[in-house]
Amino acid sequence: MKSLAVEALGIELDFSGVLALRGCDLRVRRGEIHALLGQNGAGKSTLLKILNGVHPREAFRGVLKIDGRPVAFHSPAHARLQGVGFVPQEIEVIENLSVAENIFCGQLRAGRGPLIPWRTIEERARQLLADLGLSFSPQALVASLSAAQRHLVMIARALVAHPSVLLLDEPTASLTSVEIERLFAVLRRLKGRSTTIIYITHRLPEVLSLCDRASVLRDGVIAEEFERNEFDIHRLHDAMTGYKVATQFPPLKPPSGGPTVLKLESFSVTQNGRPRVREISFELHRGEILGIAGLLGAGRTELLSAIYGHLPHTGKIYVDGHERSIRSSRDARALGIGLLTEDRKRDGLLFNLPLRANITAGNLHLLSKAGFVRASAERNHVLHTMQELRVKAASAEATVAHLSGGNQQKLLFARVLMPQPKILLLDDPTKGVDVATRHEIYRLVAHLAERGVAVLIASSELEEVLGLAHRVIVLADGHIVDEFNRDEGDEKRVLRAVSSHTALARTPASSVLQP
């Protein structure tokens, strides 16, 4: 039996009188990859923030031990000095700094010695990026990176201090299968060096592929523990929820063959001087769910952002058969287009406002009369929406930061759906949510399509696109490289189309022209 690297004993923490953790006991062996599972709101992220010093010692009750010795962390910096690295679920980077500066942020000195030379910083950053299989430069501005690339920068930042304990909260939420395998290779190498890893995920196949043991949090306590030889995806599902959960996608009625509501012609998008979407054309019909598949950097997010007016574009865009100019989100909303953003912390939620305001922000004109908001109408709408979407919160005035990832995602859905859009753009709609909430979202999307809403869904999870869409478009390097109807393709077909395009793009022009 390996010795214990991490012990969290009798941990209790409450937010405004609501217990998030209630006598929680977690024990993790040295040099293992330990999955921490549970539904949104079970207390997983809260426990990791205690282990990392985000919630300091005076904020909770209980005992923490690292390698058998009691510890009392007062900040994340203090925890890092004790050998604990942490990668949070939400993206936390400094956009106007370079990749290398972000990786070494707060770690530019070796102890109390002089500043580390800049050349050394760039070289070490380049090596870390290479270990993660990343091709972007350490000199690149983080503002130029996609959400998935920013998350990988955060992982590199945690690894630069060579932690003995690494805490990962949904590290693959933005990543595609290729990037996930690269990350797993790094984690297995760290395990080989006796690094202890605590790994939060809602993707149970990842647990079966990567982890040595699993603990399931339910209602703030460890409800069940599993050794690797006990892993079973159905048992893990049931342990997380306390009841049996259907794992398949909801039944999807064929699209009604309604009129075209959105059409793109020779549509191109450039961001920060780089082409992201290149001369693509497609149509989206009423009541249809059209999936956008592709690997990291394919242009999925940029495509949806441009349609919504967040990024400039060239080419033509038609809504209900009429050519339109969409240069802002105001233009898009006026045409009945709604967007659920990929990054709820950066682009979606308003953390300085309560739950109520996060639902009604941008929609108050729907609740106003003679220029004044009707407080009773707002209250009734918010309470009805919370009940309909099963948002778990103490009240409509609850603090958004204390809600689980799944409940935060439901708030964004509530805001986007409030004006009843006829075209709905969904960018990674189940990012960072648990199994039960994920299937609630799937049922909601299927229901919206049945009501005639046209849905364009981009996701880093190929299974999600293939299981939910009536039709799938595959993007690679901003080009459409394949298109097929539901049940005509699988993950292998998507990856084959992307690989074929990549191989062709790398072939010298002279050899392509050879007979």
Side-chain angles (χ1 to χ4, degrees), residues 2 4 42 55 59 125 131 161 189 194 209 224 270 277 293 300 311 352-353 367 369 438 454 466 488:
K2 292 183 178 180
L4 296 176
H55 297 309
D131 286 346
R189 288 203 301 272
S194 297
S209 171
E224 295 190 53
T270 300
V277 176
R300 302 185 314 261
L311 290 177
N352 60 327
L353 296 177
L367 304 168
K369 186 175 183 179
R438 180 178 297 242
L466 296 169
E488 289 181 351

Side-chain angles (χ1 to χ4, degrees), residues 113-150:
L115 289 172
I116 301 172
W118 182 247
R119 185 175 297 178
T120 303
I121 287 174
E122 284 203 343
E123 184 54 39
R124 289 180 63 186
R126 184 173 286 107
Q127 184 59 54
L128 270 172
L129 295 176
D131 286 346
L132 288 168
L134 304 177
S135 59
F136 51 81
S137 168
Q139 297 175 334
L141 276 182
V142 168
S144 69
L145 304 182
S146 68
Q149 290 170 327
R150 291 172 185 164

Side-chain angles (χ1 to χ4, degrees), residues 159-176:
L159 295 178
V160 77
H162 304 293
S164 61
V165 176
L166 180 60
L167 314 175
L168 300 173
D169 192 353
E170 293 284 353
T172 64
S174 300
L175 308 185
T176 59

